[in-house]
Amino acid sequence: MEDIKREGFSAKEEDMVVQPSENVEQSNKVDIEEWRTELSEFFAKFNVDLTNYKFNRDELYDRP
């Protein structure tokens, strides 16, 4: 492994193996509208109501 060092940042070089998911069809054609619908349905699960949320930056660094 080769060390990478730039301006105070150091990391080791790593290898990665990427394999296709088992439940994805192997097709070169993608239906964009279907993909957008599936993506919207997926992210709809993570919607959060932030109407009464107030961020206080001072509390972020307030430590006992």
Side-chain angles (χ1 to χ4, degrees):
M1 281 191 256
E2 179 183 330
D3 287 341
I4 300 171
K5 294 182 181 180
R6 291 187 191 126
E7 298 178 22
F9 174 79
S10 64
K12 297 216 182 260
E13 189 173 307
E14 297 291 332
D15 295 330
M16 182 187 320
V17 177
V18 178
Q19 297 179 345
S21 176
E22 294 176 5
N23 36 338
V24 175
E25 289 184 19
Q26 299 296 324
S27 173
N28 292 336
K29 295 183 180 181
V30 175
D31 182 10
I32 298 296
E33 291 304 318
E34 181 181 338
W35 178 76
R36 287 180 179 163
T37 303
E38 290 175 1
L39 198 60
S40 295
E41 289 172 0
F42 175 78
F43 282 109
K45 299 175 193 174
F46 302 103
N47 286 342
V48 177
D49 180 20
L50 297 175
T51 53
N52 294 323
Y53 177 75
K54 294 181 182 176
F55 178 73
N56 184 345
R57 188 174 303 274
D58 295 332
E59 289 180 0
L60 178 65
Y61 299 108
D62 185 29
R63 298 184 182 167

